[in-house]
Amino acid sequence: MPVAVTIDEIRAAHARIAGHVVRTPLRPALSLSRDGSPVHLKLETRQTTGSFKLRGATNAVLSLDASAQGGAAGVVTASTGNHGRAVAHAAKARGIRAVVCMSQLVPANKVEAVRALGAEVRIVGCSQDDAQNEVDRLVAEGGLAEIPPFDHPAVIAGQGTIGLEIIADLPDVELVLVPLSGGGLAGGIAAAVKALRPQAKVVGISMARGAAMHASLLAGKPVEVEELPTLADSLGGGIGLANRYSFALCRDFLDEVILLSEEEVAAGIRHAFRAEDEIVEGAAGVGIAALLAGKLRPSGPTAIVVSGRNIDPELHRRIVEEGVAA
Ligand SMILES: *Cc1c(COP(=O)(O)O)cnc(C)c1O
């Protein structure tokens, strides 16, 4: 099977999005470091819109060829979370329309957050499937191009730029820890790291509750798992039974996948705040959590991708002050 996303595409993405996204810092985390195994945090919490999703969304929006897309004058997605925000921001920056389709069940604060970024919100039906059907309808009608959250070459290449920056800033890196859901982030980063430093290990980390990519890798093909509420809410959801790119990249390039309990995810959020002064959402704290839980033993320079900061402030307060796990 051909590699879906190459290092050249990731390099091109890096050049394309430079100036549109933040080149985030990679900084030492003394509380997690040991002799011979310094640990660094790649802080996508400092990214505009609060998560790395802006890299992939921006690369996809800037790669749109208006004529090839049937004159696409805008983009559409069904994501209400970090990807929705990123698509709204990237479209606004390019001066094109963004439509975000949501079901009636999406809470008002999420609807407002997307509107505040300048996107049009379309409320349809009662489920994520209904919202996705509306996306499909709008794309078929013409004029709008879908930007999916992970299974898209330009999106994956955009996320892979994090891998380029890690190698540039920490050339002797031996271990890279990456949050894993649909696998756009981990697949893109692993493609970059393995091309530039094949001996470095890349490990994906998910919550045990509803780890769709983990189940799919075990099954050898994309499978569905039951979606359960989790503190790592940005890691929820399936990988798509018709997955075309991210599954193959994760299968070919990830060395290992680690699963965490809800208590372990909470401990990651708490440690990030108390010991490293970082506000992270559950999905972003999983690399820290995996080290704290002793599920990995770094031998050599280590980089942890801290993927975003969009957590409800009240939930964050309860986790760090009261030790609430779920
Ligand atoms: C989307 C997201 C992830 C997972 O990315 P995938 O490409 O779906 O694996 C991790 N962390 C945060 C904060 C996210 O928003």
Side-chain angles (χ1 to χ4, degrees):
M1 136 128 14
V3 176
V5 176
T6 65
I7 187 69
D8 291 339
E9 287 167 308
I10 297 170
R11 285 202 173 103
H14 206 225
R16 198 175 291 119
I17 68 178
H20 297 272
V21 307
V22 176
R23 193 198 189 288
T24 55
L26 182 76
R27 72 142 174 96
L30 299 182
S31 73
L32 298 164
S33 297
R34 303 278 170 273
D35 278 352
S37 302
V39 173
H40 294 72
L41 305 180
K42 177 65 171 166
L43 292 173
E44 288 297 303
T45 47
R46 312 272 173 92
Q47 190 56 261
T48 309
T49 71
S51 86
F52 74 88
K53 290 277 196 328
L54 190 63
R55 293 176 184 256
T58 299
N59 190 45
V61 165
L62 293 179
S63 301
L64 279 180
D65 171 350
S67 56
Q69 298 287 339
V75 292
V76 59
T77 182
S79 163
T80 61
N82 286 334
H83 178 67
R85 285 184 188 218
V87 168
H89 184 87
K92 193 175 182 192
R94 194 179 167 181
I96 62 173
R97 223 178 128 200
V99 180
V100 180
C101 301
M102 307 184 183
S103 88
Q104 287 159 7
L105 301 182
V106 172
N109 62 333
K110 282 203 168 182
V111 178
E112 277 322 306
V114 170
R115 281 212 180 105
L117 285 163
E120 286 169 50
V121 173
R122 238 175 230 232
I123 310 273
V124 272
C126 297
S127 70
Q128 188 62 20
D129 285 348
D130 291 340
Q132 185 59 45
N133 287 339
E134 179 68 1
V135 171
D136 297 345
R137 202 185 61 75
L138 290 172
V139 170
E141 220 175 69
L144 294 175
E146 182 180 5
I147 312 261
F150 54 86
D151 200 30
H152 183 285
V155 171
I156 295 171
Q159 323 306 29
T161 60
I162 294 170
L164 292 186
E165 293 175 11
I166 289 173
I167 299 283
D169 292 351
L170 192 66
D172 58 351
V173 66
E174 294 289 351
L175 176 63
V176 182
L177 306 185
V178 191
L180 175 64
S181 176
L185 178 64
I189 290 176
V193 169
K194 294 291 176 177
L196 300 172
R197 190 164 165 83
Q199 72 268 43
K201 281 194 167 187
V202 183
V203 174
I205 304 164
S206 304
M207 67 292 160
R209 305 186 84 174
M213 182 62 85
H214 179 255
S216 300
L217 292 170
L218 282 182
K221 60 172 200 286
V223 296
E224 277 173 342
V225 299
E226 193 192 347
E227 197 173 335
L228 298 163
T230 167
L231 280 178
D233 57 317
S234 292
L235 300 184
I239 72 163
L241 291 178
N243 188 293
R244 293 178 63 193
Y245 307 101
S246 63
F247 171 75
L249 286 168
C250 289
R251 180 195 59 204
D252 293 351
F253 293 136
L254 287 185
D255 292 281
E256 195 183 338
V257 175
I258 287 175
L259 301 183
L260 299 174
S261 70
E262 293 300 299
E263 287 73 17
E264 288 164 344
V265 174
I269 296 172
R270 203 175 299 124
H271 184 92
F273 187 73
R274 289 188 182 162
E276 292 294 339
D277 259 322
E278 299 291 346
I279 293 177
V280 305
E281 58 175 285
V286 296
I288 292 172
L291 285 189
L292 291 176
K295 298 204 166 170
L296 275 162
R297 215 147 273 292
S299 56
T302 298
I304 301 181
V305 177
V306 183
S307 50
R309 65 156 187 265
N310 295 323
I311 183 168
D312 173 53
E314 175 56 21
L315 174 63
H316 188 267
R317 191 193 62 74
R318 280 183 12 233
I319 293 168
V320 300
E321 287 178 13
E322 297 164 21
V324 172

